[in-house]
Coordinates of all heavy atoms in Angstrom, one line a residue:
M1 N -2.3 -19.4 -27.4 CA -2.9 -18.2 -26.7 C -1.7 -17.2 -26.5 O -0.7 -17.6 -26.1 CB -3.4 -18.7 -25.3 CG -3.8 -17.5 -24.5 SD -4.5 -17.9 -22.9 CE -6.1 -18.3 -23.3
V2 N -2.0 -16.0 -26.8 CA -1.0 -14.9 -26.7 C -1.3 -14.2 -25.3 O -2.5 -13.7 -25.1 CB -1.1 -13.9 -27.9 CG1 -0.1 -12.8 -27.6 CG2 -0.7 -14.7 -29.1
I3 N -0.4 -14.0 -24.5 CA -0.5 -13.4 -23.2 C 0.4 -12.1 -23.2 O 1.6 -12.2 -23.5 CB -0.1 -14.2 -22.1 CG1 -1.0 -15.5 -21.9 CG2 -0.2 -13.5 -20.7 CD1 -0.7 -16.5 -21.0
A4 N -0.2 -11.0 -22.8 CA 0.6 -9.7 -22.8 C 0.9 -9.4 -21.3 O -0.1 -9.5 -20.5 CB -0.1 -8.6 -23.4
L5 N 2.1 -9.0 -21.0 CA 2.5 -8.5 -19.6 C 2.8 -7.1 -19.9 O 3.8 -6.8 -20.5 CB 3.5 -9.3 -19.1 CG 3.3 -10.8 -18.8 CD1 4.7 -11.4 -18.3 CD2 2.3 -11.0 -17.8
I6 N 2.1 -6.2 -19.1 CA 2.4 -4.8 -19.2 C 2.8 -4.3 -17.8 O 2.2 -4.5 -16.8 CB 1.1 -4.0 -19.7 CG1 0.6 -4.6 -20.9 CG2 1.5 -2.5 -19.8 CD1 -0.8 -3.9 -21.4
S7 N 3.9 -3.5 -17.8 CA 4.4 -2.9 -16.6 C 3.5 -1.7 -16.2 O 3.0 -1.0 -16.9 CB 5.8 -2.3 -16.9 OG 6.3 -1.7 -15.7
C8 N 3.3 -1.6 -14.8 CA 2.6 -0.5 -14.3 C 3.3 0.8 -14.6 O 4.5 0.8 -15.1 CB 2.3 -0.7 -12.8 SG 3.8 -0.6 -11.7
S9 N 2.7 1.9 -14.1 CA 3.4 3.1 -14.3 C 3.3 4.0 -13.1 O 2.5 3.7 -12.2 CB 2.8 3.9 -15.5 OG 1.5 4.3 -15.1
K10 N 4.2 5.0 -13.0 CA 4.2 5.9 -11.9 C 3.0 6.8 -11.9 O 2.4 7.1 -10.9 CB 5.5 6.7 -11.9 CG 5.6 7.6 -10.8 CD 6.9 8.5 -10.8 CE 7.0 9.4 -9.7 NZ 8.3 10.1 -9.6
E11 N 2.6 7.1 -13.1 CA 1.4 8.0 -13.3 C 0.2 7.2 -13.1 O 0.0 6.2 -13.8 CB 1.4 8.7 -14.6 CG 2.6 9.7 -15.0 CD 2.6 10.1 -16.3 OE1 1.7 10.9 -16.6 OE2 3.4 9.7 -17.0
K12 N -0.8 7.7 -12.2 CA -2.0 6.9 -12.0 C -3.1 7.9 -11.9 O -2.9 9.1 -11.5 CB -1.8 6.1 -10.7 CG -0.7 5.0 -10.8 CD -0.6 4.4 -9.4 CE 0.7 3.6 -9.3 NZ 1.9 4.4 -9.5
V13 N -4.3 7.4 -12.0 CA -5.5 8.3 -11.7 C -5.6 8.2 -10.2 O -5.0 7.3 -9.5 CB -6.8 7.8 -12.4 CG1 -6.6 7.9 -13.9 CG2 -7.1 6.4 -12.1
N14 N -6.4 9.1 -9.6 CA -6.5 9.2 -8.2 C -7.8 8.6 -7.5 O -8.4 9.2 -6.7 CB -6.3 10.6 -7.7 CG -6.0 10.8 -6.3 OD1 -5.5 9.9 -5.7 ND2 -6.2 11.9 -5.7
Y15 N -8.2 7.5 -8.1 CA -9.5 6.8 -7.5 C -9.4 5.3 -7.8 O -8.7 4.9 -8.7 CB -10.7 7.5 -8.2 CG -10.7 7.5 -9.7 CD1 -11.1 6.4 -10.4 CD2 -10.2 8.5 -10.3 CE1 -11.1 6.5 -11.8 CE2 -10.1 8.6 -11.7 CZ -10.6 7.5 -12.4 OH -10.6 7.6 -13.8
K16 N -10.2 4.6 -7.0 CA -10.2 3.2 -7.1 C -10.9 2.8 -8.5 O -11.9 3.4 -8.8 CB -11.0 2.6 -6.0 CG -11.0 1.0 -6.1 CD -11.7 0.4 -4.8 CE -11.7 -1.1 -4.9 NZ -12.3 -1.7 -3.6
C17 N -10.3 1.9 -9.3 CA -10.8 1.6 -10.6 C -10.1 0.3 -11.1 O -9.2 -0.2 -10.5 CB -10.6 2.7 -11.5 SG -8.9 3.2 -11.7
P18 N -10.6 -0.2 -12.2 CA -9.9 -1.4 -12.8 C -8.5 -1.0 -13.2 O -8.1 0.1 -13.5 CB -10.7 -1.6 -14.1 CG -12.0 -1.0 -13.9 CD -11.8 0.2 -13.0
A19 N -7.6 -2.0 -13.0 CA -6.1 -1.8 -13.2 C -5.8 -1.1 -14.6 O -5.0 -0.1 -14.6 CB -5.4 -3.2 -13.2
W20 N -6.5 -1.5 -15.7 CA -6.1 -0.8 -16.9 C -6.5 0.7 -16.9 O -5.7 1.5 -17.4 CB -7.0 -1.4 -18.1 CG -8.4 -1.1 -18.1 CD1 -9.4 -1.9 -17.4 CD2 -9.1 0.0 -18.6 NE1 -10.6 -1.3 -17.6 CE2 -10.5 -0.1 -18.3 CE3 -8.7 1.1 -19.2 CZ2 -11.4 0.8 -18.6 CZ3 -9.6 2.1 -19.6 CH2 -11.0 1.9 -19.3
E21 N -7.4 1.1 -16.1 CA -7.8 2.5 -16.0 C -6.9 3.2 -15.1 O -6.5 4.4 -15.2 CB -9.2 2.6 -15.5 CG -9.8 4.1 -15.5 CD -11.2 4.1 -15.1 OE1 -12.0 3.1 -15.1 OE2 -11.7 5.3 -14.8
L22 N -6.5 2.5 -13.9 CA -5.6 3.2 -12.9 C -4.4 3.7 -13.6 O -4.0 4.8 -13.3 CB -5.2 2.1 -11.8 CG -4.3 2.6 -10.8 CD1 -5.0 3.8 -9.9 CD2 -3.9 1.4 -9.8
Y23 N -3.7 3.0 -14.5 CA -2.5 3.3 -15.1 C -2.7 4.2 -16.4 O -1.7 4.5 -17.1 CB -1.7 2.1 -15.4 CG -1.4 1.3 -14.2 CD1 -2.0 0.1 -14.0 CD2 -0.6 1.8 -13.1 CE1 -1.8 -0.7 -12.9 CE2 -0.4 1.1 -12.0 CZ -1.0 -0.2 -11.8 OH -0.8 -0.9 -10.7
S24 N -4.0 4.4 -16.8 CA -4.1 5.1 -18.1 C -3.7 6.5 -18.1 O -3.6 7.2 -19.2 CB -5.7 5.0 -18.4 OG -6.4 5.8 -17.4
A25 N -3.3 7.0 -17.1 CA -2.8 8.4 -17.0 C -1.4 8.5 -17.7 O -0.9 9.5 -18.1 CB -2.6 8.9 -15.5
S26 N -0.8 7.3 -17.8 CA 0.5 7.2 -18.5 C 0.3 7.0 -19.9 O -0.4 6.0 -20.4 CB 1.3 6.0 -17.9 OG 2.4 5.7 -18.7
H27 N 1.0 7.8 -20.8 CA 0.8 7.7 -22.2 C 1.5 6.3 -22.7 O 0.8 5.6 -23.5 CB 1.5 8.8 -23.0 CG 1.4 8.8 -24.4 ND1 0.2 8.9 -25.1 CD2 2.4 8.6 -25.4 CE1 0.3 8.9 -26.4 NE2 1.7 8.7 -26.6
L28 N 2.6 6.0 -22.2 CA 3.3 4.7 -22.5 C 2.4 3.5 -22.2 O 2.3 2.6 -23.0 CB 4.6 4.6 -21.9 CG 5.4 3.3 -22.2 CD1 5.6 3.2 -23.7 CD2 6.8 3.3 -21.5
F29 N 1.9 3.6 -21.0 CA 1.0 2.5 -20.6 C -0.2 2.4 -21.5 O -0.6 1.3 -22.0 CB 0.5 2.5 -19.1 CG -0.5 1.5 -18.8 CD1 0.0 0.2 -18.3 CD2 -1.8 1.7 -19.0 CE1 -0.8 -0.8 -18.0 CE2 -2.7 0.6 -18.7 CZ -2.2 -0.6 -18.2
S30 N -0.8 3.5 -21.8 CA -2.0 3.5 -22.7 C -1.7 2.9 -24.1 O -2.5 2.2 -24.6 CB -2.5 4.9 -22.8 OG -3.0 5.3 -21.6
L31 N -0.5 3.3 -24.6 CA -0.1 2.7 -25.9 C 0.1 1.2 -25.8 O -0.3 0.5 -26.7 CB 1.1 3.4 -26.4 CG 1.0 4.9 -26.9 CD1 2.3 5.5 -27.3 CD2 0.0 5.0 -28.0
S32 N 0.8 0.8 -24.7 CA 1.1 -0.7 -24.5 C -0.3 -1.4 -24.4 O -0.4 -2.5 -24.9 CB 1.9 -0.8 -23.3 OG 3.1 -0.1 -23.5
Y33 N -1.2 -0.8 -23.7 CA -2.5 -1.5 -23.5 C -3.3 -1.6 -24.7 O -3.9 -2.6 -25.0 CB -3.3 -0.7 -22.4 CG -4.6 -1.4 -22.0 CD1 -4.5 -2.6 -21.3 CD2 -5.8 -0.9 -22.4 CE1 -5.8 -3.2 -21.0 CE2 -7.0 -1.5 -22.1 CZ -6.9 -2.7 -21.4 OH -8.1 -3.3 -21.1
Q34 N -3.3 -0.6 -25.6 CA -4.0 -0.5 -26.9 C -3.3 -1.6 -27.8 O -4.1 -2.4 -28.5 CB -3.9 0.8 -27.6 CG -4.7 1.9 -26.9 CD -4.5 3.3 -27.5 OE1 -4.0 3.4 -28.6 NE2 -4.7 4.3 -26.7
Y35 N -2.1 -1.7 -27.8 CA -1.4 -2.8 -28.5 C -1.8 -4.1 -28.1 O -2.1 -5.0 -28.8 CB 0.1 -2.6 -28.5 CG 0.8 -3.6 -29.4 CD1 1.1 -3.3 -30.8 CD2 1.3 -4.8 -28.9 CE1 1.7 -4.2 -31.6 CE2 2.0 -5.7 -29.6 CZ 2.1 -5.5 -31.0 OH 2.8 -6.4 -31.7
A36 N -1.8 -4.4 -26.8 CA -2.1 -5.7 -26.2 C -3.5 -6.1 -26.5 O -3.8 -7.2 -26.8 CB -1.9 -5.7 -24.7
K37 N -4.4 -5.1 -26.4 CA -5.8 -5.3 -26.8 C -6.1 -5.9 -28.2 O -6.9 -6.7 -28.4 CB -6.7 -4.1 -26.6 CG -6.9 -3.7 -25.1 CD -7.7 -4.7 -24.3 CE -9.2 -4.6 -24.4 NZ -9.9 -5.5 -23.5
K38 N -5.2 -5.4 -29.1 CA -5.3 -5.8 -30.5 C -4.7 -7.2 -30.7 O -5.1 -7.9 -31.6 CB -4.7 -4.8 -31.4 CG -5.5 -3.5 -31.5 CD -4.8 -2.6 -32.4 CE -5.5 -1.2 -32.4 NZ -4.9 -0.2 -33.2
H39 N -3.6 -7.4 -30.0 CA -2.8 -8.7 -30.3 C -2.7 -9.8 -29.3 O -2.2 -10.9 -29.6 CB -1.3 -8.2 -30.6 CG -1.2 -7.3 -31.6 ND1 -1.3 -7.6 -33.0 CD2 -1.1 -5.8 -31.7 CE1 -1.2 -6.5 -33.8 NE2 -1.0 -5.4 -33.0
A40 N -3.3 -9.6 -28.1 CA -3.2 -10.6 -27.1 C -4.6 -11.2 -26.8 O -5.6 -10.4 -26.9 CB -2.6 -10.1 -25.8
D41 N -4.6 -12.4 -26.4 CA -5.9 -13.0 -25.9 C -6.1 -12.7 -24.4 O -7.2 -12.7 -24.0 CB -5.7 -14.6 -26.0 CG -5.5 -15.0 -27.5 OD1 -6.2 -14.5 -28.3 OD2 -4.5 -15.7 -27.7
K42 N -5.1 -12.5 -23.6 CA -5.1 -12.2 -22.2 C -4.1 -11.2 -21.8 O -3.0 -11.3 -22.3 CB -5.0 -13.5 -21.4 CG -5.4 -13.5 -20.0 CD -6.3 -14.6 -19.7 CE -6.6 -14.7 -18.3 NZ -8.0 -14.4 -18.0
I43 N -4.5 -10.2 -21.0 CA -3.7 -9.1 -20.5 C -3.5 -9.2 -19.1 O -4.5 -9.3 -18.3 CB -4.1 -7.8 -21.0 CG1 -4.3 -7.7 -22.5 CG2 -3.3 -6.6 -20.4 CD1 -5.0 -6.5 -23.0
F44 N -2.2 -9.1 -18.6 CA -2.0 -9.0 -17.2 C -1.0 -7.8 -16.9 O -0.2 -7.4 -17.9 CB -1.2 -10.2 -16.6 CG -2.0 -11.4 -16.6 CD1 -2.0 -12.4 -17.7 CD2 -2.9 -11.8 -15.5 CE1 -2.7 -13.5 -17.7 CE2 -3.7 -12.9 -15.5 CZ -3.6 -13.7 -16.6
I45 N -1.2 -7.1 -15.9 CA -0.3 -6.0 -15.5 C 0.5 -6.3 -14.3 O 0.1 -6.9 -13.4 CB -1.3 -4.7 -15.2 CG1 -2.2 -4.5 -16.4 CG2 -0.4 -3.6 -14.7 CD1 -3.3 -3.6 -16.2
L46 N 1.8 -5.9 -14.4 CA 2.8 -6.1 -13.3 C 2.7 -4.9 -12.4 O 3.3 -3.8 -12.8 CB 4.2 -6.4 -13.9 CG 4.3 -7.7 -14.7 CD1 5.5 -7.7 -15.5 CD2 4.3 -8.9 -13.7
S47 N 2.2 -5.0 -11.3 CA 2.1 -3.9 -10.4 C 3.1 -4.0 -9.3 O 3.2 -5.1 -8.6 CB 0.7 -3.8 -9.8 OG 0.6 -3.1 -8.6
A48 N 3.8 -2.9 -9.0 CA 4.8 -2.9 -7.9 C 4.2 -3.2 -6.6 O 4.8 -3.8 -5.8 CB 5.6 -1.5 -7.9
K49 N 3.0 -2.8 -6.3 CA 2.3 -3.0 -5.1 C 1.4 -4.4 -5.0 O 1.6 -5.1 -4.1 CB 1.3 -1.9 -4.7 CG 0.6 -2.1 -3.4 CD 0.0 -0.9 -2.9 CE -0.8 -1.3 -1.6 NZ -0.8 -0.1 -0.7
Y50 N 0.7 -4.6 -6.1 CA -0.2 -5.7 -6.1 C 0.4 -7.0 -6.8 O -0.3 -8.0 -6.8 CB -1.5 -5.3 -6.7 CG -2.2 -4.2 -5.9 CD1 -2.2 -2.9 -6.4 CD2 -2.8 -4.4 -4.7 CE1 -2.9 -1.8 -5.8 CE2 -3.4 -3.3 -4.0 CZ -3.4 -2.1 -4.5 OH -4.0 -1.0 -3.9
G51 N 1.5 -6.9 -7.4 CA 2.0 -8.0 -8.2 C 1.3 -8.2 -9.5 O 1.1 -7.2 -10.2
L52 N 1.1 -9.4 -9.9 CA 0.4 -9.7 -11.2 C -1.1 -9.6 -11.0 O -1.7 -10.3 -10.2 CB 0.8 -11.1 -11.6 CG 0.3 -11.5 -13.0 CD1 1.1 -10.8 -14.1 CD2 0.5 -13.1 -13.2
V53 N -1.7 -8.6 -11.8 CA -3.1 -8.5 -11.7 C -3.7 -8.5 -13.1 O -3.1 -8.3 -14.1 CB -3.5 -7.1 -11.1 CG1 -2.9 -7.0 -9.7 CG2 -2.9 -5.9 -11.9
T54 N -5.0 -8.8 -13.1 CA -5.8 -8.9 -14.4 C -6.1 -7.4 -14.8 O -6.1 -6.5 -13.9 CB -7.1 -9.7 -14.3 OG1 -7.9 -9.0 -13.3 CG2 -6.7 -11.1 -13.9
E55 N -6.4 -7.2 -16.0 CA -6.7 -5.9 -16.5 C -7.9 -5.2 -15.8 O -8.0 -4.0 -15.7 CB -6.9 -5.7 -18.0 CG -8.0 -6.6 -18.5 CD -8.1 -6.6 -20.0 OE1 -8.1 -5.6 -20.6 OE2 -8.0 -7.8 -20.5
N56 N -8.8 -6.0 -15.4 CA -10.1 -5.5 -14.8 C -10.1 -5.6 -13.2 O -11.2 -5.3 -12.6 CB -11.3 -6.3 -15.4 CG -11.5 -6.0 -16.8 OD1 -11.4 -4.7 -17.2 ND2 -11.6 -7.0 -17.6
Q57 N -9.0 -6.1 -12.7 CA -9.0 -6.1 -11.2 C -9.0 -4.7 -10.6 O -8.4 -3.8 -11.0 CB -7.7 -6.8 -10.8 CG -7.6 -7.1 -9.3 CD -6.4 -8.0 -8.9 OE1 -6.0 -8.7 -9.8 NE2 -6.0 -7.8 -7.8
M58 N -10.0 -4.5 -9.6 CA -10.1 -3.2 -9.0 C -8.9 -3.0 -8.1 O -8.6 -3.8 -7.2 CB -11.5 -3.2 -8.2 CG -12.7 -3.3 -9.1 SD -12.9 -2.0 -10.2 CE -13.4 -0.6 -9.1
L59 N -8.3 -1.8 -8.2 CA -7.1 -1.4 -7.4 C -7.4 0.0 -6.9 O -7.9 0.9 -7.5 CB -5.9 -1.4 -8.3 CG -5.5 -2.8 -9.0 CD1 -4.3 -2.6 -9.8 CD2 -5.3 -3.8 -7.9
N60 N -6.8 0.2 -5.7 CA -6.6 1.6 -5.2 C -5.3 2.2 -5.6 O -4.4 1.5 -5.8 CB -6.7 1.5 -3.6 CG -8.0 1.2 -3.1 OD1 -9.0 1.8 -3.4 ND2 -8.2 0.2 -2.2
P61 N -5.3 3.5 -5.8 CA -4.1 4.2 -6.1 C -3.0 4.0 -5.1 O -3.4 3.8 -4.0 CB -4.5 5.7 -6.3 CG -5.9 5.8 -6.3 CD -6.5 4.5 -5.7
Y62 N -1.7 4.0 -5.4 CA -0.7 3.8 -4.5 C 0.6 4.5 -5.0 O 0.6 4.9 -6.2 CB -0.4 2.4 -4.3 CG 0.0 1.6 -5.6 CD1 1.4 1.5 -5.9 CD2 -0.9 1.1 -6.5 CE1 1.9 0.9 -7.0 CE2 -0.5 0.5 -7.7 CZ 0.9 0.4 -8.0 OH 1.3 -0.2 -9.1
N63 N 1.5 4.7 -4.3 CA 2.8 5.2 -4.6 C 3.9 4.3 -4.2 O 4.5 4.5 -3.0 CB 2.9 6.7 -4.1 CG 4.2 7.4 -4.6 OD1 4.7 7.0 -5.6 ND2 4.6 8.4 -3.9
Q64 N 4.3 3.4 -4.9 CA 5.3 2.3 -4.6 C 6.0 1.9 -5.9 O 5.3 1.8 -7.0 CB 4.7 1.1 -4.0 CG 5.6 0.1 -3.5 CD 4.9 -1.0 -2.7 OE1 3.9 -0.8 -2.1 NE2 5.5 -2.2 -2.7
T65 N 7.3 1.8 -5.9 CA 8.0 1.3 -7.1 C 9.0 0.1 -6.7 O 9.4 0.0 -5.5 CB 8.8 2.4 -7.7 OG1 9.9 2.8 -6.8 CG2 8.0 3.6 -8.0
L66 N 9.4 -0.6 -7.6 CA 10.3 -1.7 -7.4 C 11.7 -1.1 -7.1 O 12.5 -1.7 -6.3 CB 10.4 -2.7 -8.6 CG 9.2 -3.5 -8.8 CD1 9.2 -4.2 -10.1 CD2 9.0 -4.5 -7.7
K67 N 12.0 0.0 -7.7 CA 13.2 0.7 -7.4 C 13.5 1.0 -6.0 O 14.6 1.1 -5.5 CB 13.4 1.9 -8.2 CG 13.5 1.7 -9.7 CD 13.7 3.0 -10.5 CE 13.8 2.7 -12.0 NZ 13.9 4.0 -12.7
E68 N 12.3 1.3 -5.3 CA 12.5 1.7 -3.8 C 12.6 0.5 -2.9 O 12.9 0.7 -1.8 CB 11.3 2.5 -3.4 CG 11.0 3.8 -4.2 CD 9.6 4.4 -3.9 OE1 8.7 3.7 -3.6 OE2 9.6 5.6 -4.2
M69 N 12.4 -0.7 -3.4 CA 12.5 -1.9 -2.6 C 13.9 -2.4 -2.6 O 14.7 -2.2 -3.4 CB 11.7 -3.0 -3.3 CG 10.2 -2.8 -3.3 SD 9.4 -4.2 -4.1 CE 7.8 -3.7 -4.3
S70 N 14.2 -3.1 -1.4 CA 15.5 -3.7 -1.3 C 15.6 -4.9 -2.2 O 14.6 -5.3 -2.8 CB 15.7 -4.2 0.1 OG 14.8 -5.3 0.4
R71 N 16.7 -5.4 -2.4 CA 16.9 -6.6 -3.3 C 16.1 -7.7 -2.8 O 15.5 -8.5 -3.7 CB 18.4 -6.9 -3.5 CG 18.7 -8.1 -4.4 CD 18.5 -7.6 -5.8 NE 18.9 -8.7 -6.7 CZ 18.2 -8.9 -7.8 NH1 17.2 -8.2 -8.3 NH2 18.6 -10.0 -8.6
Q72 N 16.1 -8.0 -1.6 CA 15.3 -9.1 -1.0 C 13.8 -8.9 -1.2 O 13.1 -9.8 -1.6 CB 15.6 -9.2 0.5 CG 14.9 -10.4 1.1 CD 15.4 -10.7 2.6 OE1 16.2 -9.9 3.1 NE2 14.9 -11.7 3.1
Q73 N 13.3 -7.6 -1.1 CA 11.9 -7.4 -1.4 C 11.6 -7.6 -2.8 O 10.5 -8.1 -3.2 CB 11.6 -5.9 -1.0 CG 11.5 -5.7 0.5 CD 11.4 -4.3 0.9 OE1 12.1 -3.4 0.3 NE2 10.5 -3.9 1.8
Q74 N 12.5 -7.2 -3.7 CA 12.3 -7.4 -5.1 C 12.2 -8.9 -5.4 O 11.4 -9.3 -6.2 CB 13.4 -6.7 -5.9 CG 13.4 -5.2 -5.9 CD 14.7 -4.7 -6.5 OE1 15.6 -5.4 -6.9 NE2 14.7 -3.4 -6.8
L75 N 13.1 -9.7 -4.8 CA 13.0 -11.2 -5.1 C 11.7 -11.7 -4.6 O 11.2 -12.6 -5.2 CB 14.2 -11.8 -4.5 CG 15.6 -11.5 -5.2 CD1 16.8 -12.0 -4.3 CD2 15.7 -11.9 -6.5
L76 N 11.3 -11.3 -3.4 CA 10.0 -11.8 -2.9 C 8.9 -11.4 -3.8 O 8.0 -12.2 -4.0 CB 9.8 -11.2 -1.4 CG 8.5 -11.6 -0.7 CD1 8.5 -13.2 -0.6 CD2 8.5 -11.0 0.6
W77 N 8.9 -10.2 -4.3 CA 7.8 -9.7 -5.3 C 7.8 -10.6 -6.5 O 6.8 -11.0 -6.9 CB 8.2 -8.2 -5.6 CG 7.1 -7.7 -6.6 CD1 6.0 -7.1 -6.4 CD2 7.4 -7.7 -8.1 NE1 5.3 -6.7 -7.6 CE2 6.2 -7.2 -8.6 CE3 8.3 -8.2 -8.9 CZ2 6.0 -7.0 -10.0 CZ3 8.1 -8.1 -10.3 CH2 7.0 -7.5 -10.8
A78 N 9.0 -10.8 -7.0 CA 9.1 -11.7 -8.3 C 8.6 -13.1 -8.0 O 7.9 -13.6 -8.8 CB 10.6 -11.7 -8.7
D79 N 9.0 -13.7 -6.8 CA 8.5 -15.0 -6.5 C 7.0 -15.0 -6.4 O 6.4 -16.0 -6.9 CB 9.2 -15.4 -5.2 CG 8.9 -16.9 -4.8 OD1 9.2 -17.7 -5.7 OD2 8.4 -17.2 -3.7
N80 N 6.4 -14.0 -5.8 CA 4.9 -14.0 -5.7 C 4.3 -13.8 -7.1 O 3.2 -14.4 -7.3 CB 4.5 -12.8 -4.8 CG 4.8 -13.1 -3.4 OD1 4.8 -14.2 -2.9 ND2 5.0 -12.0 -2.6
V81 N 4.9 -13.1 -8.0 CA 4.4 -12.9 -9.3 C 4.4 -14.3 -10.0 O 3.5 -14.7 -10.7 CB 5.1 -11.8 -10.1 CG1 4.8 -11.9 -11.6 CG2 4.8 -10.4 -9.6
I82 N 5.5 -15.0 -9.9 CA 5.7 -16.2 -10.6 C 4.6 -17.3 -10.1 O 4.1 -18.0 -10.9 CB 7.1 -16.8 -10.4 CG1 8.1 -15.9 -11.2 CG2 7.2 -18.2 -10.9 CD1 9.5 -16.1 -11.0
R83 N 4.4 -17.3 -8.8 CA 3.4 -18.1 -8.2 C 2.0 -17.8 -8.7 O 1.2 -18.5 -9.0 CB 3.5 -18.2 -6.7 CG 4.5 -19.2 -6.3 CD 4.5 -19.5 -4.8 NE 5.3 -18.4 -4.1 CZ 5.0 -17.6 -3.1 NH1 3.8 -17.7 -2.6 NH2 5.9 -16.9 -2.6

């Protein structure tokens, strides 16, 4: 089984929608998602706010980045993603 992990993007649409659509405002995300759809059996998105999400998980727009988090918050985020 091939699993794709795609990073979220700063650019987002401004309404609640599936994760793949939320980040579709980003050209890089869209290209990555198109590639993953062709080559992966399962796609997950790494969200700075929500952690590891499925491509169809409904998400609200947000404005949060890992860069804005303290090192301790980043490690906690990573631990939650791994779990």
Side-chain angles (χ1 to χ4, degrees):
M1 175 180 277
V2 176
I3 297 173
L5 296 176
I6 306 174
S7 177
C8 68
S9 68
K10 182 177 181 179
E11 296 175 72
K12 299 170 192 66
V13 298
N14 196 23
Y15 52 87
K16 184 176 183 176
C17 58
W20 70 267
E21 186 177 346
L22 181 67
Y23 305 111
S24 66
S26 163
H27 184 66
L28 178 58
F29 177 87
S30 294
L31 291 175
S32 299
Y33 185 71
Q34 289 172 24
Y35 181 87
K37 287 298 274 185
K38 290 180 183 175
H39 299 283
D41 301 307
K42 194 129 177 115
I43 299 171
F44 293 95
I45 300 166
L46 294 163
S47 164
K49 179 169 181 148
Y50 299 107
L52 185 68
V53 298
T54 64
E55 63 184 302
N56 293 313
Q57 188 170 332
M58 297 295 288
L59 300 178
N60 287 308
Y62 63 92
N63 188 17
Q64 182 175 334
T65 68
L66 289 171
K67 289 180 183 180
E68 296 169 343
M69 295 179 189
S70 69
R71 182 71 178 145
Q72 186 172 0
Q73 289 172 313
Q74 290 172 350
L75 293 172
L76 180 60
W77 177 89
D79 188 52
N80 287 332
V81 166
I82 290 170
R83 277 191 268 127

